mmCIF file of all heavy atoms in Angstrom:
data_model
loop_
_atom_site.group_PDB
_atom_site.id
_atom_site.type_symbol
_atom_site.label_atom_id
_atom_site.label_comp_id
_atom_site.label_asym_id
_atom_site.label_seq_id
_atom_site.Cartn_x
_atom_site.Cartn_y
_atom_site.Cartn_z
ATOM 1 N N THR E 1430 1.785 42.698 -16.877
ATOM 2 C CA THR E 1430 0.749 41.681 -16.566
ATOM 3 C C THR E 1430 0.257 40.955 -17.775
ATOM 4 O O THR E 1430 0.172 39.726 -17.817
ATOM 5 C CB THR E 1430 -0.411 42.434 -15.916
ATOM 6 O OG1 THR E 1430 0.100 43.159 -14.763
ATOM 7 C CG2 THR E 1430 -1.489 41.441 -15.450
ATOM 8 N N TYR E 1431 -0.076 41.719 -18.840
ATOM 9 C CA TYR E 1431 -0.569 41.084 -20.005
ATOM 10 C C TYR E 1431 0.449 40.190 -20.711
ATOM 11 O O TYR E 1431 0.190 39.008 -21.022
ATOM 12 C CB TYR E 1431 -1.123 42.121 -21.053
ATOM 13 C CG TYR E 1431 -1.226 41.488 -22.377
ATOM 14 C CD1 TYR E 1431 -2.303 40.661 -22.696
ATOM 15 C CD2 TYR E 1431 -0.285 41.645 -23.347
ATOM 16 C CE1 TYR E 1431 -2.375 39.976 -23.887
ATOM 17 C CE2 TYR E 1431 -0.368 41.037 -24.591
ATOM 18 C CZ TYR E 1431 -1.380 40.201 -24.853
ATOM 19 O OH TYR E 1431 -1.458 39.554 -26.027
ATOM 20 N N THR E 1432 1.549 40.792 -21.062
ATOM 21 C CA THR E 1432 2.518 40.012 -21.886
ATOM 22 C C THR E 1432 3.080 38.837 -21.192
ATOM 23 O O THR E 1432 3.290 37.790 -21.802
ATOM 24 C CB THR E 1432 3.697 40.967 -22.297
ATOM 25 O OG1 THR E 1432 3.121 42.184 -22.903
ATOM 26 C CG2 THR E 1432 4.666 40.315 -23.247
ATOM 27 N N ARG E 1434 1.558 36.818 -19.149
ATOM 28 C CA ARG E 1434 0.514 35.728 -19.236
ATOM 29 C C ARG E 1434 0.369 35.309 -20.708
ATOM 30 O O ARG E 1434 0.070 34.097 -20.918
ATOM 31 C CB ARG E 1434 -0.788 36.236 -18.624
ATOM 32 C CG ARG E 1434 -0.691 36.204 -17.070
ATOM 33 C CD ARG E 1434 -1.741 37.055 -16.443
ATOM 34 N NE ARG E 1434 -1.549 37.054 -14.957
ATOM 35 C CZ ARG E 1434 -0.573 37.803 -14.370
ATOM 36 N NH1 ARG E 1434 0.288 38.540 -15.078
ATOM 37 N NH2 ARG E 1434 -0.411 37.709 -13.065
ATOM 38 N N ALA E 1435 0.441 36.221 -21.618
ATOM 39 C CA ALA E 1435 0.372 35.805 -23.051
ATOM 40 C C ALA E 1435 1.486 34.847 -23.438
ATOM 41 O O ALA E 1435 1.236 33.853 -24.114
ATOM 42 C CB ALA E 1435 0.350 37.094 -23.928
ATOM 43 N N PHE E 1439 0.563 31.229 -24.569
ATOM 44 C CA PHE E 1439 0.687 30.990 -26.058
ATOM 45 C C PHE E 1439 2.027 30.240 -26.347
ATOM 46 O O PHE E 1439 2.064 29.536 -27.379
ATOM 47 C CB PHE E 1439 0.503 32.265 -26.837
ATOM 48 C CG PHE E 1439 -0.787 32.964 -26.549
ATOM 49 C CD1 PHE E 1439 -0.859 34.351 -26.586
ATOM 50 C CD2 PHE E 1439 -1.922 32.210 -26.298
ATOM 51 C CE1 PHE E 1439 -2.074 34.984 -26.349
ATOM 52 C CE2 PHE E 1439 -3.146 32.834 -26.032
ATOM 53 C CZ PHE E 1439 -3.187 34.213 -26.115
ATOM 54 N N HIS E 1445 -3.544 30.503 -17.902
ATOM 55 C CA HIS E 1445 -3.551 31.775 -17.225
ATOM 56 C C HIS E 1445 -4.617 32.695 -17.905
ATOM 57 O O HIS E 1445 -4.747 32.555 -19.156
ATOM 58 C CB HIS E 1445 -2.185 32.484 -17.307
ATOM 59 C CG HIS E 1445 -1.078 31.726 -16.647
ATOM 60 N ND1 HIS E 1445 -0.898 31.732 -15.323
ATOM 61 C CD2 HIS E 1445 -0.063 30.983 -17.211
ATOM 62 C CE1 HIS E 1445 0.136 30.962 -15.001
ATOM 63 N NE2 HIS E 1445 0.687 30.519 -16.196
ATOM 64 N N PRO E 1446 -5.221 33.572 -17.155
ATOM 65 C CA PRO E 1446 -6.054 34.584 -17.855
ATOM 66 C C PRO E 1446 -5.099 35.530 -18.592
ATOM 67 O O PRO E 1446 -4.179 36.060 -18.045
ATOM 68 C CB PRO E 1446 -6.733 35.279 -16.699
ATOM 69 C CG PRO E 1446 -5.891 35.007 -15.501
ATOM 70 C CD PRO E 1446 -5.191 33.690 -15.712
ATOM 71 N N VAL E 1447 -5.468 35.776 -19.886
ATOM 72 C CA VAL E 1447 -4.686 36.600 -20.763
ATOM 73 C C VAL E 1447 -5.555 37.798 -21.102
ATOM 74 O O VAL E 1447 -6.490 37.672 -21.897
ATOM 75 C CB VAL E 1447 -4.153 35.895 -22.021
ATOM 76 C CG1 VAL E 1447 -3.381 36.814 -22.890
ATOM 77 C CG2 VAL E 1447 -3.411 34.598 -21.626
ATOM 78 N N VAL E 1448 -5.344 38.919 -20.453
ATOM 79 C CA VAL E 1448 -6.350 39.999 -20.505
ATOM 80 C C VAL E 1448 -5.745 41.232 -21.167
ATOM 81 O O VAL E 1448 -4.903 41.959 -20.573
ATOM 82 C CB VAL E 1448 -6.828 40.330 -19.101
ATOM 83 C CG1 VAL E 1448 -7.885 41.430 -19.210
ATOM 84 C CG2 VAL E 1448 -7.510 39.102 -18.481
ATOM 85 N N ASP E 1449 -6.090 41.413 -22.404
ATOM 86 C CA ASP E 1449 -5.716 42.640 -23.114
ATOM 87 C C ASP E 1449 -6.963 43.481 -23.270
ATOM 88 O O ASP E 1449 -8.020 43.171 -22.769
ATOM 89 C CB ASP E 1449 -5.022 42.298 -24.459
ATOM 90 C CG ASP E 1449 -6.006 41.762 -25.435
ATOM 91 O OD1 ASP E 1449 -7.054 41.222 -24.959
ATOM 92 O OD2 ASP E 1449 -5.904 41.954 -26.633
ATOM 93 N N THR E 1450 -6.821 44.542 -24.037
ATOM 94 C CA THR E 1450 -7.997 45.422 -24.332
ATOM 95 C C THR E 1450 -9.119 44.729 -24.970
ATOM 96 O O THR E 1450 -10.338 44.973 -24.716
ATOM 97 C CB THR E 1450 -7.552 46.672 -25.140
ATOM 98 O OG1 THR E 1450 -8.628 47.536 -25.222
ATOM 99 C CG2 THR E 1450 -7.069 46.292 -26.517
ATOM 100 N N ASN E 1451 -8.815 43.782 -25.869
ATOM 101 C CA ASN E 1451 -9.895 43.017 -26.536
ATOM 102 C C ASN E 1451 -10.646 42.097 -25.558
ATOM 103 O O ASN E 1451 -11.891 42.183 -25.529
ATOM 104 C CB ASN E 1451 -9.264 42.138 -27.614
ATOM 105 C CG ASN E 1451 -8.712 42.950 -28.765
ATOM 106 O OD1 ASN E 1451 -9.413 43.813 -29.300
ATOM 107 N ND2 ASN E 1451 -7.461 42.686 -29.136
ATOM 108 N N VAL E 1452 -9.930 41.391 -24.742
ATOM 109 C CA VAL E 1452 -10.575 40.495 -23.794
ATOM 110 C C VAL E 1452 -11.398 41.293 -22.742
ATOM 111 O O VAL E 1452 -12.476 40.950 -22.390
ATOM 112 C CB VAL E 1452 -9.526 39.597 -23.080
ATOM 113 C CG1 VAL E 1452 -10.150 38.810 -21.965
ATOM 114 C CG2 VAL E 1452 -8.865 38.686 -24.071
ATOM 115 N N ARG E 1453 -10.833 42.420 -22.278
ATOM 116 C CA ARG E 1453 -11.569 43.259 -21.376
ATOM 117 C C ARG E 1453 -12.900 43.737 -21.909
ATOM 118 O O ARG E 1453 -13.905 43.707 -21.321
ATOM 119 C CB ARG E 1453 -10.694 44.457 -20.880
ATOM 120 C CG ARG E 1453 -9.520 44.119 -20.134
ATOM 121 C CD ARG E 1453 -9.175 45.138 -19.062
ATOM 122 N NE ARG E 1453 -9.436 46.522 -19.432
ATOM 123 C CZ ARG E 1453 -8.632 47.262 -20.228
ATOM 124 N NH1 ARG E 1453 -7.556 46.786 -20.676
ATOM 125 N NH2 ARG E 1453 -8.975 48.493 -20.527
ATOM 126 N N ARG E 1454 -12.889 44.105 -23.196
ATOM 127 C CA ARG E 1454 -14.096 44.548 -23.868
ATOM 128 C C ARG E 1454 -15.095 43.407 -24.022
ATOM 129 O O ARG E 1454 -16.329 43.542 -23.736
ATOM 130 C CB ARG E 1454 -13.769 45.181 -25.217
ATOM 131 C CG ARG E 1454 -15.013 45.797 -25.871
ATOM 132 C CD ARG E 1454 -14.549 46.650 -27.112
ATOM 133 N NE ARG E 1454 -13.823 45.832 -28.058
ATOM 134 C CZ ARG E 1454 -12.528 45.967 -28.344
ATOM 135 N NH1 ARG E 1454 -11.795 46.888 -27.765
ATOM 136 N NH2 ARG E 1454 -11.981 45.169 -29.216
ATOM 137 N N VAL E 1456 -15.307 40.570 -22.280
ATOM 138 C CA VAL E 1456 -15.862 40.149 -20.962
ATOM 139 C C VAL E 1456 -16.854 41.178 -20.433
ATOM 140 O O VAL E 1456 -17.892 40.791 -19.850
ATOM 141 C CB VAL E 1456 -14.645 39.945 -19.994
ATOM 142 C CG1 VAL E 1456 -15.169 39.747 -18.578
ATOM 143 C CG2 VAL E 1456 -13.785 38.769 -20.467
ATOM 144 N N ALA E 1465 -15.005 48.193 -21.037
ATOM 145 C CA ALA E 1465 -14.329 47.972 -19.769
ATOM 146 C C ALA E 1465 -13.665 49.258 -19.283
ATOM 147 O O ALA E 1465 -13.809 50.295 -19.937
ATOM 148 C CB ALA E 1465 -13.201 46.906 -19.969
ATOM 149 N N ALA E 1468 -7.792 50.612 -17.319
ATOM 150 C CA ALA E 1468 -6.624 49.704 -17.155
ATOM 151 C C ALA E 1468 -7.094 48.345 -16.633
ATOM 152 O O ALA E 1468 -8.159 48.213 -16.066
ATOM 153 C CB ALA E 1468 -5.608 50.339 -16.197
ATOM 154 N N THR E 1469 -6.244 47.363 -16.831
ATOM 155 C CA THR E 1469 -6.515 46.024 -16.381
ATOM 156 C C THR E 1469 -6.419 45.968 -14.887
ATOM 157 O O THR E 1469 -5.381 46.299 -14.302
ATOM 158 C CB THR E 1469 -5.603 44.995 -17.028
ATOM 159 O OG1 THR E 1469 -5.756 45.073 -18.434
ATOM 160 C CG2 THR E 1469 -5.932 43.572 -16.490
ATOM 161 N N THR E 1470 -7.501 45.430 -14.198
ATOM 162 C CA THR E 1470 -7.475 45.260 -12.747
ATOM 163 C C THR E 1470 -7.480 43.833 -12.401
ATOM 164 O O THR E 1470 -7.689 42.960 -13.251
ATOM 165 C CB THR E 1470 -8.734 45.895 -12.213
ATOM 166 O OG1 THR E 1470 -9.902 45.165 -12.671
ATOM 167 C CG2 THR E 1470 -8.920 47.388 -12.646
ATOM 168 N N PRO E 1471 -7.142 43.551 -11.158
ATOM 169 C CA PRO E 1471 -7.166 42.184 -10.644
ATOM 170 C C PRO E 1471 -8.575 41.583 -10.893
ATOM 171 O O PRO E 1471 -8.652 40.369 -11.141
ATOM 172 C CB PRO E 1471 -6.910 42.290 -9.159
ATOM 173 C CG PRO E 1471 -6.011 43.490 -9.060
ATOM 174 C CD PRO E 1471 -6.519 44.405 -10.077
ATOM 175 N N ALA E 1472 -9.658 42.444 -10.754
ATOM 176 C CA ALA E 1472 -10.966 41.873 -11.050
ATOM 177 C C ALA E 1472 -11.072 41.434 -12.482
ATOM 178 O O ALA E 1472 -11.849 40.458 -12.792
ATOM 179 C CB ALA E 1472 -11.971 42.954 -10.725
ATOM 180 N N ASP E 1473 -10.444 42.139 -13.409
ATOM 181 C CA ASP E 1473 -10.502 41.765 -14.839
ATOM 182 C C ASP E 1473 -9.861 40.393 -15.007
ATOM 183 O O ASP E 1473 -10.346 39.569 -15.720
ATOM 184 C CB ASP E 1473 -9.763 42.780 -15.732
ATOM 185 C CG ASP E 1473 -10.496 44.133 -15.751
ATOM 186 O OD1 ASP E 1473 -11.746 44.105 -15.685
ATOM 187 O OD2 ASP E 1473 -9.810 45.135 -15.844
ATOM 188 N N LEU E 1474 -8.769 40.159 -14.277
ATOM 189 C CA LEU E 1474 -8.048 38.873 -14.412
ATOM 190 C C LEU E 1474 -8.990 37.780 -13.904
ATOM 191 O O LEU E 1474 -9.090 36.633 -14.447
ATOM 192 C CB LEU E 1474 -6.738 38.938 -13.622
ATOM 193 C CG LEU E 1474 -5.622 39.762 -14.237
ATOM 194 C CD1 LEU E 1474 -4.362 39.630 -13.349
ATOM 195 C CD2 LEU E 1474 -5.347 39.438 -15.729
ATOM 196 N N ARG E 1475 -9.628 38.048 -12.736
ATOM 197 C CA ARG E 1475 -10.512 36.982 -12.168
ATOM 198 C C ARG E 1475 -11.707 36.722 -13.103
ATOM 199 O O ARG E 1475 -12.075 35.589 -13.280
ATOM 200 C CB ARG E 1475 -10.984 37.508 -10.782
ATOM 201 C CG ARG E 1475 -10.009 37.132 -9.673
ATOM 202 C CD ARG E 1475 -10.509 37.521 -8.262
ATOM 203 N NE ARG E 1475 -10.263 38.860 -7.927
ATOM 204 C CZ ARG E 1475 -11.113 39.834 -7.835
ATOM 205 N NH1 ARG E 1475 -12.304 39.547 -8.123
ATOM 206 N NH2 ARG E 1475 -10.768 41.071 -7.528
ATOM 207 N N ALA E 1476 -12.254 37.749 -13.617
ATOM 208 C CA ALA E 1476 -13.413 37.606 -14.561
ATOM 209 C C ALA E 1476 -12.986 36.748 -15.737
ATOM 210 O O ALA E 1476 -13.756 35.871 -16.175
ATOM 211 C CB ALA E 1476 -13.946 38.979 -15.016
ATOM 212 N N ALA E 1477 -11.834 37.026 -16.341
ATOM 213 C CA ALA E 1477 -11.406 36.219 -17.505
ATOM 214 C C ALA E 1477 -11.081 34.822 -17.130
ATOM 215 O O ALA E 1477 -11.341 33.876 -17.919
ATOM 216 C CB ALA E 1477 -10.160 36.905 -18.143
ATOM 217 N N GLU E 1478 -10.517 34.657 -15.958
ATOM 218 C CA GLU E 1478 -10.136 33.292 -15.510
ATOM 219 C C GLU E 1478 -11.383 32.418 -15.331
ATOM 220 O O GLU E 1478 -11.354 31.242 -15.564
ATOM 221 C CB GLU E 1478 -9.451 33.433 -14.150
ATOM 222 C CG GLU E 1478 -8.481 32.278 -13.767
ATOM 223 C CD GLU E 1478 -9.248 31.155 -13.116
ATOM 224 O OE1 GLU E 1478 -10.422 31.409 -12.632
ATOM 225 O OE2 GLU E 1478 -8.754 29.994 -13.105
ATOM 226 N N LEU E 1481 -12.241 30.398 -18.427
ATOM 227 C CA LEU E 1481 -11.335 29.417 -18.966
ATOM 228 C C LEU E 1481 -11.701 27.983 -18.541
ATOM 229 O O LEU E 1481 -12.122 27.739 -17.343
ATOM 230 C CB LEU E 1481 -9.875 29.693 -18.436
ATOM 231 C CG LEU E 1481 -9.295 31.067 -18.910
ATOM 232 C CD1 LEU E 1481 -7.906 31.136 -18.349
ATOM 233 C CD2 LEU E 1481 -9.330 31.173 -20.415
ATOM 234 N N SER E 1492 -8.068 31.643 -24.624
ATOM 235 C CA SER E 1492 -7.579 33.030 -24.483
ATOM 236 C C SER E 1492 -7.293 33.630 -25.833
ATOM 237 O O SER E 1492 -7.700 34.768 -26.138
ATOM 238 C CB SER E 1492 -6.347 33.065 -23.663
ATOM 239 O OG SER E 1492 -6.608 32.762 -22.229
ATOM 240 N N LEU E 1495 -10.692 34.431 -27.425
ATOM 241 C CA LEU E 1495 -11.374 35.664 -26.902
ATOM 242 C C LEU E 1495 -10.664 36.913 -27.407
ATOM 243 O O LEU E 1495 -11.366 37.941 -27.763
ATOM 244 C CB LEU E 1495 -11.309 35.695 -25.327
ATOM 245 C CG LEU E 1495 -12.177 34.600 -24.644
ATOM 246 C CD1 LEU E 1495 -11.909 34.580 -23.176
ATOM 247 C CD2 LEU E 1495 -13.652 34.800 -24.908
ATOM 248 N N MET E 1496 -9.355 36.899 -27.501
ATOM 249 C CA MET E 1496 -8.661 38.070 -28.106
ATOM 250 C C MET E 1496 -9.076 38.273 -29.565
ATOM 251 O O MET E 1496 -9.288 39.396 -29.992
ATOM 252 C CB MET E 1496 -7.160 37.828 -28.045
ATOM 253 C CG MET E 1496 -6.608 37.958 -26.610
ATOM 254 S SD MET E 1496 -4.845 37.588 -26.501
ATOM 255 C CE MET E 1496 -4.173 38.821 -27.525
ATOM 256 P P DA C 21 -5.928 45.211 -31.624
ATOM 257 O OP1 DA C 21 -5.698 44.211 -32.645
ATOM 258 O OP2 DA C 21 -7.327 45.489 -31.122
ATOM 259 O "O5'" DA C 21 -5.027 44.910 -30.332
ATOM 260 C "C5'" DA C 21 -4.632 43.595 -30.117
ATOM 261 C "C4'" DA C 21 -4.102 43.522 -28.657
ATOM 262 O "O4'" DA C 21 -3.764 42.149 -28.468
ATOM 263 C "C3'" DA C 21 -2.814 44.293 -28.381
ATOM 264 O "O3'" DA C 21 -2.820 44.554 -26.942
ATOM 265 C "C2'" DA C 21 -1.725 43.362 -28.803
ATOM 266 C "C1'" DA C 21 -2.382 42.016 -28.374
ATOM 267 N N9 DA C 21 -1.995 40.883 -29.152
ATOM 268 C C8 DA C 21 -0.741 40.364 -29.275
ATOM 269 N N7 DA C 21 -0.659 39.353 -30.057
ATOM 270 C C5 DA C 21 -1.963 39.277 -30.597
ATOM 271 C C6 DA C 21 -2.514 38.440 -31.552
ATOM 272 N N6 DA C 21 -1.859 37.418 -32.205
ATOM 273 N N1 DA C 21 -3.810 38.606 -31.851
ATOM 274 C C2 DA C 21 -4.455 39.510 -31.227
ATOM 275 N N3 DA C 21 -4.080 40.378 -30.281
ATOM 276 C C4 DA C 21 -2.717 40.223 -30.033
ATOM 277 P P DG C 22 -2.974 46.028 -26.409
ATOM 278 O OP1 DG C 22 -4.152 46.147 -25.525
ATOM 279 O OP2 DG C 22 -2.854 46.911 -27.575
ATOM 280 O "O5'" DG C 22 -1.661 46.232 -25.478
ATOM 281 C "C5'" DG C 22 -1.640 45.740 -24.184
ATOM 282 C "C4'" DG C 22 -0.214 45.857 -23.666
ATOM 283 O "O4'" DG C 22 0.186 47.186 -23.927
ATOM 284 C "C3'" DG C 22 -0.044 45.564 -22.178
ATOM 285 O "O3'" DG C 22 1.284 45.038 -22.024
ATOM 286 C "C2'" DG C 22 -0.177 46.993 -21.559
ATOM 287 C "C1'" DG C 22 0.414 47.847 -22.622
ATOM 288 N N9 DG C 22 -0.152 49.207 -22.695
ATOM 289 C C8 DG C 22 -1.488 49.507 -22.587
ATOM 290 N N7 DG C 22 -1.799 50.734 -22.689
ATOM 291 C C5 DG C 22 -0.489 51.359 -22.918
ATOM 292 C C6 DG C 22 -0.197 52.662 -23.155
ATOM 293 O O6 DG C 22 -0.946 53.677 -23.221
ATOM 294 N N1 DG C 22 1.200 52.803 -23.255
ATOM 295 C C2 DG C 22 2.093 51.829 -23.291
ATOM 296 N N2 DG C 22 3.377 52.137 -23.528
ATOM 297 N N3 DG C 22 1.789 50.474 -23.131
ATOM 298 C C4 DG C 22 0.458 50.383 -22.928
ATOM 299 P P DA C 23 1.786 44.713 -20.486
ATOM 300 O OP1 DA C 23 2.586 43.453 -20.711
ATOM 301 O OP2 DA C 23 0.694 44.781 -19.569
ATOM 302 O "O5'" DA C 23 2.776 45.897 -20.228
ATOM 303 C "C5'" DA C 23 3.921 46.032 -21.228
ATOM 304 C "C4'" DA C 23 4.870 47.067 -20.624
ATOM 305 O "O4'" DA C 23 4.320 48.426 -20.750
ATOM 306 C "C3'" DA C 23 5.247 46.934 -19.147
ATOM 307 O "O3'" DA C 23 6.633 47.083 -18.995
ATOM 308 C "C2'" DA C 23 4.361 48.037 -18.448
ATOM 309 C "C1'" DA C 23 4.302 49.059 -19.536
ATOM 310 N N9 DA C 23 3.120 49.856 -19.526
ATOM 311 C C8 DA C 23 1.800 49.393 -19.350
ATOM 312 N N7 DA C 23 0.837 50.338 -19.412
ATOM 313 C C5 DA C 23 1.633 51.455 -19.638
ATOM 314 C C6 DA C 23 1.177 52.853 -19.843
ATOM 315 N N6 DA C 23 -0.045 53.264 -19.823
ATOM 316 N N1 DA C 23 2.202 53.746 -20.073
ATOM 317 C C2 DA C 23 3.429 53.353 -20.097
ATOM 318 N N3 DA C 23 3.960 52.152 -19.919
ATOM 319 C C4 DA C 23 2.989 51.196 -19.738
#
Side-chain angles (χ1 to χ4, degrees):
Chain E
T1430 303
Y1431 161 76
T1432 306
R1434 284 160 184 77
F1439 303 147
H1445 298 284
V1447 182
V1448 180
D1449 72 332
T1450 184
N1451 292 308
V1452 172
R1453 294 213 324 279
R1454 187 171 56 250
V1456 171
T1469 300
T1470 65
D1473 291 329
L1474 291 183
R1475 277 185 272 108
E1478 203 275 342
L1481 299 182
S1492 289
L1495 292 173
M1496 288 175 64

